[in-house]
Amino acid sequence: MVLNSSNPKTVVAWMAALSVGMGSSSDGLFFVAAVLTCMLVGFLVNGMYSLLFSINGVMNVYQKVAHWVERVVSGIFALAGLGLLRSAFSRNPA
């Protein structure tokens, strides 16, 4: 938890996930459920990574394709960021 909380990319990604699902009328119970869901997803994904990369040869394959994976993921993050900026500027002022 400390490692994920200290990683700025992780914090921004979870904040974006929560902000997409929450509206101005969301109550505290919805927020707690959303945070608990994000925690569960985080544990499951990290557990999956641990299991996957403990298999012999998986790390070697990943190291061979890492540059392509990083390019695709960075493109996805850039598109998501642009989408968030677009939605922020398209909102009507309250």
Side-chain angles (χ1 to χ4, degrees):
M1 185 179 108
V2 172
L3 179 63
N4 278 326
S5 298
S6 64
N7 182 348
K9 292 182 289 188
T10 304
V11 172
V12 170
W14 285 117
M15 285 177 16
L18 285 172
S19 68
V20 167
M22 294 187 67
S24 60
S25 63
S26 298
D27 61 357
L29 183 60
F30 181 82
F31 178 73
V32 170
V35 169
L36 290 175
T37 301
C38 289
M39 288 173 61
L40 178 64
V41 169
F43 281 120
L44 291 175
V45 167
N46 284 313
M48 182 193 68
Y49 287 153
S50 298
L51 289 174
L52 182 67
F53 283 102
S54 68
I55 298 171
N56 289 336
V58 171
M59 186 57 116
N60 293 334
V61 172
Y62 176 74
Q63 287 175 340
K64 291 178 184 175
V65 298
H67 60 282
W68 290 107
V69 171
E70 291 172 2
R71 288 176 182 162
V72 169
V73 171
S74 65
I76 291 170
F77 268 101
L79 289 174
L82 290 172
L84 287 171
L85 286 172
R86 184 180 55 91
S87 70
F89 287 117
S90 67
R91 290 185 181 179
N92 292 329

